[in-house]
Amino acid sequence: MVAEDRSRDITQPLDKLHPNERLKFASNYLRGTIPEGLADPITGAISEDDNKLTKFHGIYMQDDRDLRSERRHQKLEPAYQFMVRVRLPGGVCTTDRWLKLDALAHKYANGTLRLTTRQTFQFHGVLKRNLKATIRAINDTLLDTIAACGDDNRTVMCSANPHESRLHQATWEWSKRISDHLVPRTRAYHEIWLDEAPVVHAEDEEQEPLYGRTYLPRKFKIGLAIPPTNDVDVYSQDIGFIAISESGELAGFNVCIGGGMGRTDNEPRTYPRLGDVVGFCKPEQAVEVAESIVSVQRDYGNRVDRKRARMKYTIDEKGLEWFKSKIEERLGWRFQKARPFQFDHNGDRYGWVQGEGGNWHYTLFIENGRVKDDGDHRVMTGLREIARVHKGGFRLTGNQNLIIADVPETEYGRIESLMHEYGLRDPRYYSALRLNSMACVAFPTCGLAMAESERYLPDLITRLEGIMADAGIPDVPVTIRMTGCPNGCARPYLGEIGFTGRAPGKYDVYLGAGFRGDRLNKPWLDNVGEERILEALTPIIRTYAKKRKKHERFGDFVIRAGYVPEVKAGCEFND
Ligand code: SRM
Ligand code: SF4
């Protein structure tokens, strides 16, 4: 299908490229010395190089940052542990699998399940000695962790809300096909984690037809959205596929390229960017479209400077038309003109929704995606009990929530009474502000966190709820996104109010993103603490309550009222 230039990356002189390129090249298709590192009983860690390679296997080495200084004081090595991320296209999980993953969280991880902003599960706190058993157990559920991280294509997201189910089903099937097609082919994962026999052939014969020996310059992300719901933040993806429906059937996709959130403080050459729609393709063309785009990025992406290695920068450097023509050249055909579509929000629809076939779907708010028991609010136990009786399956959403999907009319009452019994709260219990909030993991596990996020946002929301209530608009939804650093894991630059951590207790604040996930916000306050945040937001919220137009969203209002300028392109974000 797509052949051109596959070896371009390895014909560039390796010594001129980023050290990670040499590491990938020399790793024997992602093997490195991982088995030796796992077998070393002296330390709970693996080597730095192997840590870079295990990411391609869905595994990150971390240490418990709450214990870091105490351990240092005691002259002990950091409390090393691993995060394991599952690959789960479109967030579709059977209840049988849920039960097994729940058991695994208790057996080998920290007793919680973390639902991520890309609709999958993370286990935190897995010790080195339990890593293999954890990966094997995940594989026993017929899931895996291959390419959940690393310089390859990650888990493919897909609009989670099954309220238009035929269309949703068809779109999800394409997300699965795209995901399967772009999975690395190396057998390293199977050899290292599942003890399968090593491949018996010369190293160079190993089949990695799309990625080659150096994989992609950087991570790569794909999401499929079904208008009017933009719950995958389709413009933030390297490739976004926007499903176009004709009489309820999937007619094809508008293809959107070049989204990405990550940036680095004080480095204006880095910025979030939203994707551009380049045209329309038929459903059966989606896999080759994805492959072609990946291959252009593989061959032309920046392999010297990892901060500029995402596809969004390749597009800005080479030009959108150039990039589009390269894709079309490899496809051997041209995109059709993009079709009209309309998004109305990028959040989740909570509570019960009836699907086309008559079954019901319940979207449950899981604050910041952490599934655990907390006093009477026994989310983990409650979902386990529901999973024991419910056959329809669960779906994880791109907003870190969970859908109890496909509940027949006859089961509706039973699910409701289980929710009630275990204190799973009706969405009406929460404010519109909280239901539209999202925070990344940050402390204590994320090695890159500079400030709290998951553990702090709930408190900040409580304070903001007070301000909204005082202003007389307690029920108005405003999208709030927080991350513990500027990497943007909870897509903070798409928050009508966004926060990124700078230092403990200090955040940069952003205003003005679109409620539909179609406009970036703009930096507004720099390195401020809670007091200043609340003091500065209060008058704006009050003015919004008084002066907003009918149905005017907070993000639109702050631009109209002149608090921040509108950001029309990622490269203007830092101006
Ligand atoms: Fe992320 C790195 C957590 C979605 C941009 N992300 C990390 C690491 C692995 C930290 C590290 O490299 O050591 C974090 C692990 C924390 C922990 O303890 O679990 C981490 N990212 C997450 C999750 C779990 C956040 C969450 O609260 O749900 C999300 C897992 C998604 C998944 O299931 O695959 C997560 N990360 C995202 C997103 C959102 C998205 O993809 O829709 C982004 C922004 C979109 C994008 O990629 O442009 C994102 N994560 C990053 C970046 C910055 C990338 C960049 O282009 O600059 C890093 C750092 C890096 O890659 O160098 C990062
Ligand atoms: Fe960690 Fe930063 Fe991602 Fe939050 S945004 S999980 S702090 S890398």
Side-chain angles (χ1 to χ4, degrees):
M1 222 188 315
V2 175
E4 190 198 315
D5 257 0
R6 193 173 74 70
S7 59
R8 185 188 149 97
D9 51 28
I10 55 172
T11 57
Q12 285 175 293
L14 266 174
D15 60 340
K16 299 273 188 303
L17 302 183
H18 190 278
N20 284 22
E21 295 300 313
R22 294 196 283 284
L23 175 72
K24 287 182 272 181
F25 184 80
S27 73
N28 185 12
Y29 296 95
L30 310 178
R31 289 174 178 81
T33 56
I34 298 171
E36 291 82 346
L38 290 176
D40 179 355
I42 305 293
T43 167
I46 55 174
S47 74
E48 258 320 304
D49 278 356
D50 286 339
N51 183 30
K52 290 183 181 137
L53 298 174
T54 57
K55 292 179 185 178
F56 290 78
H57 304 226
I59 297 162
Y60 277 79
M61 184 168 72
Q62 304 184 316
D63 71 286
D64 186 332
R65 296 185 64 183
D66 285 348
L67 304 179
R68 213 181 252 184
S69 59
E70 178 59 24
R71 305 262 311 177
R72 195 179 301 132
H73 191 65
Q74 291 182 16
K75 301 199 172 11
L76 293 169
E77 75 171 12
Y80 289 118
Q81 53 183 38
F82 291 79
M83 178 269 275
V84 175
R85 189 182 284 163
V86 177
R87 192 164 58 87
L88 193 72
V92 173
C93 180
T94 62
T95 42
D96 281 353
R97 283 184 181 141
W98 179 278
L99 289 172
K100 287 178 182 148
L101 297 179
D102 170 307
L104 206 51
H106 289 92
K107 189 166 181 192
Y108 295 128
N110 67 359
T112 71
L113 281 171
R114 181 57 155 72
L115 313 187
T116 74
T117 54
R118 294 192 69 78
Q119 295 179 287
T120 188
F121 298 96
Q122 279 188 186
F123 296 93
H124 287 110
V126 181
L127 299 179
K128 185 169 91 170
R129 62 172 179 274
N130 293 327
L131 256 182
K132 247 172 122 159
T134 305
I135 302 293
R136 275 171 163 280
I138 291 170
N139 274 263
D140 288 344
T141 70
L142 303 183
L143 294 172
D144 62 58
T145 66
I146 303 174
C149 323
D151 297 345
D152 43 27
N153 179 57
R154 308 289 183 88
T155 203
V156 174
M157 294 180 75
C158 181
S159 200
N161 196 327
H163 68 289
E164 281 184 45
S165 63
R166 260 182 310 149
L167 183 61
H168 181 272
Q169 182 65 25
T171 307
W172 175 74
E173 277 163 16
W174 285 108
S175 74
K176 175 99 176 52
R177 273 180 215 148
I178 294 167
S179 172
D180 291 348
H181 187 75
L182 298 178
V183 169
R185 298 283 178 250
T186 171
R187 300 297 297 168
Y189 180 90
H190 306 80
E191 288 172 22
I192 295 171
W193 307 105
L194 309 177
D195 291 335
E196 287 183 12
V199 184
V200 193
H201 55 48
E203 188 189 307
D204 282 347
E205 287 168 21
E206 174 114 35
Q207 293 297 304
E208 197 66 277
L210 175 62
Y211 292 114
R213 292 162 64 116
T214 47
Y215 294 81
L216 295 181
R218 203 68 164 83
K219 56 176 65 167
F220 198 92
K221 299 181 173 180
I222 300 179
L224 287 70
I226 307 176
T229 305
N230 187 14
D231 56 353
V232 303
D233 275 327
V234 75
Y235 299 107
S236 73
Q237 312 282 338
D238 290 86
I239 310 178
F241 286 98
I242 300 169
I244 303 297
S245 150
E246 271 171 16
S247 315
E249 303 293 343
L250 181 66
F253 299 103
N254 279 351
V255 180
C256 180
I257 59 170
M261 292 278 105
R263 51 172 282 278
T264 307
D265 290 330
N266 303 320
E267 296 217 28
R269 72 203 167 96
T270 66
Y271 48 82
R273 184 186 191 283
L274 296 189
D276 298 289
V277 174
V278 289
F280 172 87
C281 72
K282 292 192 215 127
E284 57 276 18
Q285 295 172 320
V287 172
E288 61 173 321
V289 166
E291 182 180 323
S292 299
I293 297 170
V294 168
S295 80
V296 176
Q297 164 63 2
R298 175 199 63 202
D299 297 336
Y300 294 95
N302 189 331
R303 289 182 186 262
V304 177
D305 178 358
R306 280 182 72 80
K307 290 214 160 129
R308 293 275 300 179
R310 292 294 293 272
M311 192 172 80
K312 61 184 176 180
Y313 301 118
T314 319
I315 291 175
D316 277 353
E317 268 163 33
K318 304 263 184 202
L320 184 64
E321 280 313 311
W322 178 92
F323 204 99
K324 181 180 168 185
S325 69
K326 274 281 162 208
I327 304 166
E328 291 180 333
E329 199 177 292
R330 290 177 183 206
L331 285 169
W333 51 265
R334 306 191 117 193
F335 289 112
Q336 294 177 38
K337 197 163 162 283
R339 306 267 174 98
F341 66 95
Q342 179 102 43
F343 286 122
D344 60 17
H345 64 112
N346 64 349
D348 288 338
R349 284 162 208 259
Y350 291 100
W352 289 109
V353 177
Q354 191 169 25
E356 273 176 359
N359 280 356
W360 292 83
H361 313 279
Y362 189 91
T363 305
L364 185 71
F365 175 61
I366 310 275
E367 192 154 27
N368 301 324
R370 185 68 68 179
V371 178
K372 61 175 185 187
D373 285 353
D374 183 12
D376 294 343
H377 189 212
R378 299 171 64 198
V379 178
M380 192 148 207
T381 310
L383 287 173
R384 188 183 311 130
E385 293 309 318
I386 291 172
R388 285 199 172 121
V389 299
H390 173 53
K391 298 288 163 246
F394 288 163
R395 288 165 199 231
L396 280 57
T397 82
N399 288 300
Q400 303 172 321
N401 295 312
L402 184 93
I403 300 178
I404 303 166
D406 262 338
V407 180
E409 190 90 40
T410 47
E411 291 294 306
Y412 186 105
R414 177 143 74 140
I415 301 291
E416 282 229 309
S417 67
L418 282 169
M419 287 197 286
H420 186 70
E421 185 179 341
Y422 293 97
L424 273 54
R425 293 174 184 145
D426 187 300
R428 281 168 297 188
Y429 174 92
Y430 300 102
S431 69
L433 215 54
R434 200 172 294 271
L435 291 173
N436 284 283
S437 70
M438 192 154 81
C440 75
V441 178
F443 286 103
T445 52
C446 179
L448 306 178
M450 299 198 257
E452 293 284 356
S453 184
E454 180 187 324
R455 298 195 295 197
Y456 170 57
L457 185 62
D459 292 342
L460 182 64
I461 297 274
T462 304
R463 295 184 183 91
L464 291 170
E465 281 167 348
I467 297 171
M468 295 286 283
D470 287 348
I473 47 169
D475 300 326
V476 174
V478 178
T479 325
I480 300 195
R481 305 271 180 89
M482 174 176 276
T483 57
C485 85
N487 280 322
C489 298
R491 302 186 287 272
Y493 311 110
L494 283 169
E496 292 179 286
I497 307 176
F499 300 95
T500 63
R502 283 292 289 271
K506 292 289 171 69
Y507 297 84
D508 287 351
V509 189
Y510 311 80
L511 291 183
F515 192 74
R516 300 168 192 84
D518 54 358
R519 182 181 62 234
L520 290 169
N521 53 24
K522 179 79 185 168
W524 177 54
L525 298 176
D526 193 37
N527 204 12
V528 290
E530 183 178 290
E531 208 177 301
R532 175 77 187 112
I533 291 170
L534 298 177
E535 177 190 87
L537 278 175
T538 303
I540 303 184
I541 291 172
R542 285 195 187 137
T543 316
Y544 171 60
K546 284 195 198 120
K547 303 214 166 144
R548 71 198 161 119
K549 294 183 186 162
K550 198 171 176 200
H551 304 307
E552 188 175 29
R553 297 293 180 186
F554 185 78
D556 300 334
F557 169 77
V558 290
I559 291 170
R560 182 173 66 82
Y563 293 105
V564 286
E566 177 178 353
V567 175
K568 294 197 174 118
C571 52
E572 323 177 328
F573 180 82
N574 295 307
D575 294 346

